[in-house]
Amino acid sequence: MDDAYSVQTTATESGEADGLERLMALKDGDTFLVADGWGDLKGGADGLFVNDTRILSRLVLTVGRARPSLLSSGVSQDNVYFTCHSTNRPLPPMGGRSAPAGVLHIERRRFVRDQRMFERVRMANHGVEDVLLPLSFDFGADFADIFQVRGTLREKRGTAEAPTHDGRRVTFAYLGLDDVRRTSCLAFSEPPARLTGSRADFMFSLPRGRRCDLYIECGPDRCEQPDEARYRINAVQARLAMRTRRRRGASLRGPRSTRFNDWLDQSRADVALLTTDLPTGPYPYAGVPWFSTPFGRDGIITAWQMLWLDPSLAKGVLTYLALRQATEVSAFQDSAPGKIMHETRGGEMSALGEVPFGLYYGGVDTTCLFVALAGAYARRTGDYALIRRLWPNLIAAIGWMKNHGDVNGDGLIRYQRGAETGLSNQGWKDSEDSIFHTDGRFPKGPIALLEVQGYAYAAWQAMAELAAALGDDRQADWAAQAERVRLLVEDRFWMEDEGFYAIALDGDGAPCRSIGSNAGHLLFTGLPSVERAKRVTQRLLGAEFRSGWGIRTLATGQARFNPMSYHNGSVWPHDTAMAAAGMARYGERRAVSLLLGEIYASAAHFHLRLPELFCGFERLPGEPPIAYPVACLPQAWAAGSVFLMLQSALGVSIDAVAGTVEIDDPVLPAGIDRLNVTNLQVGDGMVDLAFQQVGNHTVVVPQRREGPVSVRTVR
C-alpha cells in the first residue's frame, strides 16, 4: 500500500507491537469484528466495525479487577464462532467468601450477524464452595474511520456525544463532519449492579457445581434486550448462512484424516467468510481487518482462483464491477470512462474526500483483468447470456485501454496518478517504493508495468474469443491487438543478458531492470515465448526467488530488497500461486507441486490459515516462516491460492460449451496419493473426478457423471 495510506502497527496496553496474527476475526456482510485471544477489544487494530466505522472500540472483561488466565481461544473452522476459555485468578474475600485461582471456568462465545455482535459469557463454578463472582466490562465507542485505525492522521473530527444509559443498555453517538449521526448500542441480558457510560459491574452468586450465562449484544441501532432465545436463533442463522456459502461449487478432498484436508477446509471457509452476498451476487472482500470491502483487483483474482470450482464468484464480481464502471474523468478518483473500480469505502473520511477511496479507480490493471476474467468465465461456464448483458461494459473497458490506458499511444498500458491524494504506484505492488531502477531510483511516469501488459494481452484475446462466439466482426482486430501487445512486450521488456523481463518501463521508455516476481504473472497470461518462459521459470525457481516458503516478490541482491518489506522481498501466497499457474501453462507441473508443498508448509505454521503475506527470509531447518506484523488474516486471494495451485498441478481445464474436462499431465502434491473432486459442474452436466498416484504417474478416473460431460486426459 502507498505510504500515505500504509497500515501502521498499533500498541497494546503493555506497549508491545500487536501483531495481527494474534488477533481473531469474525465477519458478516459489511460488519467485522477483531479481538485479541481473550475476546477483548482494546482500541488498537481491534474493534467492531460497520461500514468502515468502528462502533465499538473497547470491551475488556475483568474478574475481580484482574484479567482472567487464558486457557485457550480460537475461531471455529467454519469461521462462525469465536470462543475463549479462561479461568479466574485468586478472588478477594467478599461476604466472607473467596475463591482460589482456577475454580471458575469463564467461556466467551460470540458471532457476528446482521450488523450485530452476539456474545454469551458462561460462568461455571468447579470449586468446592459457593462463590461470589465480580465481573466487569470496560467499554467505549470512538467511531473511528477505518483509515484512522490504520494510522492516517486527521486534523479535525466530528463531535462525540456523551453516552447515555438505562438499566441494561448504553448508547453511544457521534456526529461526523459529514453531518451523519452514527450510533451504537451495547446491551446486557442482566442489569449490572453498577452501570456508567464506560463500565458495567456485575456480581454473580455461583453455587458450587452451578453455572450462569450473561448475554451481550452490540450493533449500530438501539438494542433489543439480549437473551438466550435471540442468541440461539441468530446463531443458527449465522451457521446456516456460512454453510451455504461454503458449499457453493465443487468440493476437494484428499486422503482421509490428513492435515491437507484441514487446510482445504480452512481455505474454503476463509473464502466463504470474506464473501458477501450483495444484490449483484457473491463478492469476495479482500481481507480483514484493513481491506474488508470490495476491491476490483482482489475480487477478480480471487474469483479466478475459484473459477474452476465455483463460477458464481466470477459472475458476482463481474456484475458488481460493471455497475460501478467509471463514466467520467476525475483526477481525484483516478477515473476515466470505461475504467473498472479499484476500491470502494463507506466511512466518514471517504465521504468527506479526506481519502479518495469512496469510489476509487487508481488501479491500472483492474480494467484489463475485468475483461480477461469475462473471457475465462465464458469458457468455463458457457454463460453467454451474462456476456451479452456485460457487452457494453466490456466494449467500454477496452475503450479505456485504448484511449486512456495507452497514454503514450504506443500500445502499452501505463499509469500516473491523477492527484497527489492517489496511489503513486497502481499495480498490485502499490507500495510507494515497489517500482524502481536497478540503482534504487524511482522512475518518472507514466509507468508501464510488466504484468499489466500481460493482462492486456489476455483481455484482447478474450475479446476476440467472445466476439467470435457472439458474431461480432471485430474479432480479427482484437486478435491483432493482442499480438501487437505480445510483440511489444517481447521487444521492449525482455533483457537477454538477465534471461528475464524488466519489471517496468519508465516515462521515457527505459526499462526498470529490477528483477521481480511480476514475470510470474506474465507467465500466467501465456504471453512469453516457450523458450523465454523456460528461462523465467528457471530463475523464479532459483534461490534468489525461492525462500523455501514460496516465491519472493523481489529477487535477493536487488537494490531495495528487504525480506521484511511489504512488496520488496516478502512472500505473498497469491503471487506464488499466479507464478505456479503460469509455469504449469508451459508444462512445468512438477514445479507447481514443489511450490504447492512450500505454501502448504507455510500454512501449517500459520494454523492452516495463510496470511496476506509473510517475510521472505530463507527457510531454515526446524524454524517457522516469519510473520509480517500487520498482514490481513484472513485474506481472500491468499485463501484462494491453494485452489489455483491445485488446478494447475492437476492440469484441469473446463470448456462448458464443448462439455469437456481436459486433464493435462496431472501431478499430485508431494505426500498426497489421491484427491477427489466432486460435484464439478460442466455446462448442464456434472462429474466427479478421482485422482490417484500410481507409481510415478497420476491417473484420473471419472466417477459419477450426470449429463453430457466428457473427460479427456492428455500426456
Side-chain angles (χ1 to χ4, degrees):
M1 192 67 177
D2 194 271
D3 280 6
Y5 308 108
S6 63
V7 180
Q8 305 297 322
T9 57
T10 56
T12 65
E13 291 172 339
S14 64
E16 297 176 355
D18 196 358
L20 287 185
E21 71 278 1
R22 300 207 305 265
L23 299 183
M24 312 281 183
L26 300 174
K27 176 188 170 295
D28 179 66
D30 290 309
T31 303
F32 68 90
L33 186 149
V34 181
D36 68 12
W38 279 262
D40 289 338
L41 317 179
K42 295 179 293 182
D46 42 15
L48 176 63
F49 295 79
V50 178
N51 295 323
D52 288 327
T53 299
R54 183 161 61 185
I55 67 167
L56 187 67
S57 54
R58 185 170 181 82
L59 184 67
V60 176
L61 178 150
T62 55
V63 178
R65 298 183 179 275
R67 202 177 204 192
S69 298
L70 182 65
L71 300 175
S72 70
S73 65
V75 175
S76 59
Q77 191 177 59
D78 64 1
N79 287 321
V80 173
Y81 290 109
F82 164 80
T83 306
C84 168
H85 297 277
S86 64
T87 188
N88 66 294
R89 301 179 190 276
L91 296 180
M94 285 176 290
R97 288 176 284 176
S98 63
V103 299
L104 300 176
H105 175 221
I106 302 164
E107 178 197 76
R108 300 179 73 176
R109 187 169 173 86
R110 69 160 63 116
F111 61 93
V112 174
R113 179 176 181 269
D114 195 23
Q115 296 191 325
R116 312 188 80 76
M117 177 196 78
F118 295 82
E119 179 167 341
R120 183 190 69 197
V121 182
R122 173 162 286 174
M123 300 151 280
N125 181 1
H126 294 282
V128 298
E129 295 182 349
D130 299 348
V131 171
L132 284 175
L133 169 57
L135 188 78
S136 297
F137 290 92
D138 291 298
F139 47 76
D142 63 1
F143 295 95
D145 186 281
I146 185 67
F147 284 94
Q148 284 179 270
V149 179
R150 284 167 47 164
T152 302
L153 298 178
R154 298 186 71 186
E155 293 183 2
K156 295 189 297 183
R157 284 204 69 202
T159 304
E161 301 178 15
T164 61
H165 55 87
D166 56 22
R168 303 170 192 248
R169 303 181 180 84
V170 181
T171 300
F172 308 94
Y174 168 79
L175 181 62
L177 297 178
D178 57 355
D179 292 326
V180 174
R181 187 173 185 267
R182 296 170 172 86
T183 63
S184 63
C185 178
L186 180 68
F188 303 95
S189 61
E190 300 293 331
R194 180 174 178 269
L195 180 64
T196 70
S198 61
R199 184 178 175 89
D201 295 312
F202 297 86
M203 184 65 71
F204 293 100
S205 178
L206 271 182
R208 61 180 182 175
R210 301 293 296 274
R211 74 182 190 198
C212 67
D213 295 336
L214 174 69
Y215 293 92
I216 305 171
E217 286 186 29
C218 182
D221 304 311
R222 180 174 172 81
C223 301
E224 299 294 331
Q225 181 174 323
D227 57 28
E228 181 179 6
R230 280 180 55 79
Y231 180 89
R232 287 184 177 275
I233 290 170
N234 281 279
V236 169
Q237 294 301 316
R239 182 147 266 174
L240 288 175
M242 182 63 77
R243 184 180 300 170
T244 298
R245 292 198 295 272
R246 291 182 66 194
R247 292 183 176 179
R248 287 176 177 145
S251 299
L252 288 169
R253 300 303 294 171
R256 189 174 301 175
S257 301
T258 65
R259 279 176 61 79
F260 190 78
N261 279 337
D262 293 337
W263 183 34
L264 294 177
D265 290 342
Q266 184 66 68
S267 299
R268 198 63 179 267
D270 284 352
V271 173
L273 173 72
L274 292 167
T275 297
T276 297
D277 289 320
L278 301 172
T280 49
Y283 200 107
Y285 285 11
V288 175
W290 310 121
F291 308 119
S292 187
T293 188
F295 273 74
R297 178 193 304 121
D298 296 63
I300 290 170
I301 290 178
T302 303
W304 208 323
Q305 292 170 330
M306 302 299 296
L307 181 60
W308 70 295
L309 297 172
D310 180 14
S312 71
L313 279 185
K315 183 175 183 177
V317 167
L318 290 168
T319 304
Y320 178 91
L321 293 176
L323 287 176
R324 285 154 183 81
Q325 190 171 33
T327 58
E328 61 184 16
V329 174
S330 167
F332 181 68
Q333 292 179 297
D334 262 315
S335 68
K339 199 173 186 183
I340 296 298
M341 180 198 85
H342 169 67
E343 176 181 1
T344 183
R345 293 286 185 173
E348 178 188 4
M349 292 176 69
S350 296
L352 291 167
E354 294 179 25
V355 295
F357 304 115
L359 190 55
Y360 182 61
Y361 293 85
V364 69
D365 47 6
T366 310
T367 308
C368 304
L369 285 167
F370 171 80
V371 178
L373 177 63
Y377 172 80
R379 289 191 297 274
R380 169 64 181 87
T381 64
D383 181 7
Y384 283 96
L386 177 67
I387 298 302
R388 288 187 180 91
R389 290 202 304 273
L390 297 180
W391 196 242
N393 303 100
L394 294 169
I395 295 296
I398 62 171
W400 174 85
M401 291 168 58
K402 185 174 182 180
N403 300 321
H404 297 278
D406 183 8
V407 294
N408 284 9
D410 61 357
L412 299 176
I413 305 295
R414 297 173 179 269
Y415 69 90
Q416 185 165 350
R417 65 180 173 186
E420 289 299 313
T421 52
L423 298 176
S424 55
N425 281 316
Q426 298 189 353
W428 85 263
K429 295 179 180 178
D430 57 5
S431 299
E432 189 179 46
D433 63 348
S434 61
I435 307 300
F436 52 90
H437 287 286
T438 52
D439 60 1
R441 287 180 299 113
F442 296 135
K444 74 173 189 178
I447 296 169
L449 284 174
L450 172 66
E451 74 275 15
V452 174
Q453 316 317 314
Y455 303 153
Y457 168 74
W460 290 116
Q461 280 194 321
M463 287 300 289
E465 292 175 14
L466 295 174
L470 298 181
D472 191 303
D473 60 8
R474 290 169 285 187
Q475 173 193 358
D477 292 340
W478 293 333
Q481 182 62 26
E483 179 62 12
R484 182 188 177 199
V485 171
R486 189 188 70 80
L487 293 174
L488 279 169
V489 173
E490 293 285 47
D491 177 56
R492 301 183 64 182
F493 285 83
W494 180 252
M495 302 180 293
E496 181 61 30
D497 58 330
E498 294 281 3
F500 211 75
Y501 291 93
I503 199 170
L505 303 182
D506 69 14
D508 294 326
C512 299
R513 292 173 55 88
S514 302
I515 306 299
S517 64
N518 309 54
H521 294 235
L522 198 68
L523 297 181
F524 177 78
T525 68
L527 184 150
S529 67
V530 172
E531 189 274 332
R532 287 180 176 178
K534 183 177 180 180
R535 293 176 70 180
V536 168
T537 296
Q538 289 174 340
R539 192 149 186 190
L540 287 172
L541 293 175
E544 62 181 336
F545 273 109
R546 273 183 56 220
S547 69
W549 302 113
I551 292 177
R552 298 182 181 98
T553 48
L554 188 69
T556 57
Q558 298 299 297
R560 293 184 176 272
F561 175 78
N562 178 354
M564 299 176 290
S565 73
Y566 197 54
H567 286 127
N568 288 338
S570 55
V571 174
W572 289 62
H574 93 279
D575 186 41
T576 296
M578 297 278 279
M583 295 174 193
R585 184 165 187 153
Y586 291 88
E588 293 286 350
R589 302 210 188 282
R590 300 290 172 184
V592 179
S593 179
L594 174 70
L595 291 170
L596 179 56
E598 293 183 355
I599 291 293
Y600 173 41
S602 303
H605 286 285
F606 290 110
H607 307 290
L608 301 178
R609 168 178 273 179
L610 283 170
E612 175 188 17
L613 73 155
F614 44 89
C615 293
F617 291 105
E618 181 182 358
R619 182 175 180 175
L620 298 175
E623 298 290 334
I626 297 173
Y628 186 82
V630 291
C632 279
L633 187 68
Q635 179 88 349
W637 62 13
S641 296
V642 58
F643 303 109
L644 177 61
M645 296 181 83
L646 278 174
Q647 180 188 12
S648 304
L650 299 175
V652 175
S653 60
I654 301 167
D655 185 334
V657 174
T660 61
V661 179
E662 185 173 285
I663 313 295
D664 185 359
D665 193 21
V667 175
L668 284 169
I672 304 299
D673 60 3
R674 60 185 179 278
L675 188 70
N676 293 325
V677 183
T678 57
N679 300 321
L680 187 66
Q681 190 81 32
V682 183
D684 294 329
M686 186 176 292
V687 67
D688 294 349
L689 302 173
F691 293 85
Q692 178 77 44
Q693 189 70 27
V694 178
N696 294 325
H697 296 284
T698 299
V699 299
V700 59
V701 178
Q703 296 187 328
R704 180 180 64 92
R705 193 179 335 211
E706 299 176 4
V709 181
S710 64
V711 179
R712 183 175 62 188
T713 303
V714 179
R715 291 284 182 187

